Amino acid sequence: MTNHPNQFPKLHNAAWPGVVGKGGEGDDPCIPLDEMLDMTAAAEVDGRKFDGVDIFLFDPHVSIDATDAELEALAESVRSRGLVIGSVVAPVWEPTGGGSAAGDPDQVEAFLTQVRKGCTIAKKLRELGVRPYGVVRLDTATSVADWVQDPQANQSKIADTLKAACDIAEEYDERLAAEGEICWGGMQSWRKMVDLLERVGHPERLGFQADMAHTLLYLLGYNAPEDAILPSDFDWNDKSKKAAALKELTHALRPWTIDFHVAQNDATVHGTGSHDKTGRHCLPNDPNGKLDIATDAGHWLRDEHGDVLTTCKHICWDGCMFPNDVMKKPDTWNSILSAMLSVQDAHGWNE
């Protein structure tokens, strides 16, 4: 334990890789939630284990219409494995019952209905004592192709929808986090993401979720070349230029960041199943990975003066896009837990 002296931020695994991105070229079936929980609970490095999981509020894991009895069973299932629940993902996309935040009134209503249901579940899990921290995650559920048809009107409409979502979150005393992925209109670049957050203007209810794999693509301007910080042919061996680019990126987005995903990325895009192409998630030791995970996480988890921030009580590893045969290997989760511990060691604290 002395090798890992910090207890915060707590270390979480994401359960949704058991559901997200399935049915693509590998045609992998969903991995049941209990199996994801078992694999998470079994991981161990230097006597340390995962503290919790983040979950997707969608079948077959957790129904967005789950009953109180089902949520009580979920809480007990998680608690019995020595885990807690952190952030939850509201299924705001059309294939999961939602709709575009820039869509027609029916689509917007579907989007907001899913936000309300997500906040309802999040609050109940808090009341059950199994969710001590975390946010409700969402995005715009709008494709970039649709957004670019009328950028100003669509950005304005999305902002109005997210303002309404903030009003809902306030009713449940929850915070919402918009995950910055290049595949979502209005969020496809760091400049557009900042613009959207500023238009909504409710930092107490809506913040940013930074995923190291996705935000690396912000540097290269995928889906928004005009906002690139680095050239597309950037030499990743130039560590000083990469650090300067990350400094510029995080200077703009860190003040909004309330949820954080540790990840590795090889500077390419990928998507499986119905999941559109976005920043590829790689295993932490992938030889093509462009991130020095512990070092680069510090751009997000420390302030401009280098002091540790305590905004995010937990951090999460997002392994979506990994095929099932990779996820079912114990070594996968031990290597991920080791990477998470390296971030906690470098940028953590105790309370």
Side-chain angles (χ1 to χ4, degrees):
M1 295 292 287
T2 55
N3 293 329
H4 307 290
N6 299 319
Q7 294 299 314
F8 287 88
K10 296 296 186 180
L11 308 179
H12 281 220
N13 191 20
W16 57 77
V19 178
V20 175
K22 302 305 176 187
E25 58 266 23
D27 200 26
D28 281 346
C30 291
I31 300 176
L33 179 58
D34 280 346
E35 189 173 348
M36 293 297 297
L37 294 176
D38 285 341
M39 292 189 292
T40 300
E44 185 171 341
V45 175
D46 297 338
R48 292 290 298 275
K49 301 176 76 69
F50 281 107
D51 298 299
V53 290
D54 288 5
I55 59 175
F56 183 24
L57 302 179
F58 189 66
D59 292 320
H61 276 195
V62 181
S63 172
I64 192 63
D65 295 308
T67 64
D68 286 350
E70 288 169 334
L71 293 176
E72 289 168 8
L74 168 65
E76 181 54 34
S77 181
V78 171
R79 191 183 291 116
S80 69
R81 292 171 170 86
L83 302 169
V84 299
I85 294 171
S87 297
V88 301
V89 180
V92 294
W93 309 277
E94 186 173 358
T96 58
S100 168
D104 61 33
D106 288 342
Q107 291 174 307
V108 170
E109 180 60 29
F111 180 100
L112 294 174
T113 295
Q114 299 297 73
V115 172
R116 180 174 294 280
K117 289 180 176 181
C119 287
T120 299
I121 290 176
K123 181 181 179 182
K124 287 180 178 177
L125 293 173
R126 273 194 287 124
E127 293 170 345
L128 288 168
V130 75
R131 184 171 168 262
Y133 41 65
V135 303
V136 177
R137 195 193 97 190
L138 44 69
D139 52 49
T140 64
T142 303
S143 73
V144 176
D146 288 340
W147 184 89
V148 297
Q149 299 303 312
D150 193 339
Q152 284 302 318
N154 285 324
Q155 194 78 333
S156 179
K157 186 179 290 187
I158 290 169
D160 287 344
T161 299
L162 294 182
K163 287 177 184 178
C166 288
D167 290 340
I168 293 170
E170 186 169 5
E171 291 180 44
Y172 296 87
D173 195 22
E174 287 290 338
R175 296 186 80 186
L176 309 174
E179 183 180 28
E181 290 195 66
I182 60 168
C183 57
W184 300 119
M187 307 167 65
Q188 70 266 38
S189 82
W190 64 281
R191 289 190 187 279
K192 292 169 180 62
M193 187 71 250
V194 171
D195 172 70
L196 183 58
L197 291 164
E198 290 177 344
R199 286 181 188 232
V200 176
H202 289 290
E204 76 287 356
R205 293 297 166 194
L206 178 69
F208 180 67
Q209 182 196 78
D211 179 299
M212 293 176 70
H214 299 320
T215 53
L216 187 73
L217 275 294
Y218 274 172
L219 299 182
L220 297 172
Y222 276 92
N223 285 343
E226 68 277 11
D227 294 336
I229 299 175
L230 294 174
S232 59
D233 61 350
F234 176 66
D235 179 2
W236 292 98
N237 292 313
D238 192 334
K239 304 297 185 184
S240 62
K241 281 190 177 180
K242 184 185 78 168
L246 284 169
K247 185 175 181 180
E248 181 178 352
L249 174 71
T250 55
H251 177 77
L253 280 168
R254 190 195 308 109
W256 294 93
T257 301
I258 60 173
D259 207 43
F260 186 70
H261 283 175
V262 179
Q264 180 59 281
N265 182 262
D266 61 4
T268 68
V269 296
H270 182 65
T272 55
S274 61
H275 199 79
D276 199 6
K277 289 182 178 178
T278 185
R280 178 189 291 271
H281 287 91
C282 302
L283 290 172
N285 55 356
D286 190 302
N288 294 316
K290 301 301 187 287
L291 288 160
D292 181 332
I293 291 175
T295 299
D296 296 340
H299 290 283
W300 296 98
L301 299 178
R302 290 178 178 269
D303 66 15
E304 299 290 335
H305 307 290
D307 294 327
V308 170
L309 295 167
T310 60
T311 308
C312 299
K313 296 296 184 183
H314 82 291
I315 54 179
C316 181
W317 178 274
D318 184 343
C320 64
M321 305 178 191
F322 291 171
N324 285 3
D325 62 341
V326 172
M327 288 200 289
K328 292 189 177 185
K329 294 177 181 176
D331 284 351
T332 293
W333 304 111
N334 287 338
S335 67
I336 286 169
L337 178 56
S338 181
M340 299 284 284
L341 278 166
S342 74
V343 174
Q344 187 191 64
D345 291 344
H347 313 294
W349 73 94
N350 289 299
E351 293 184 353

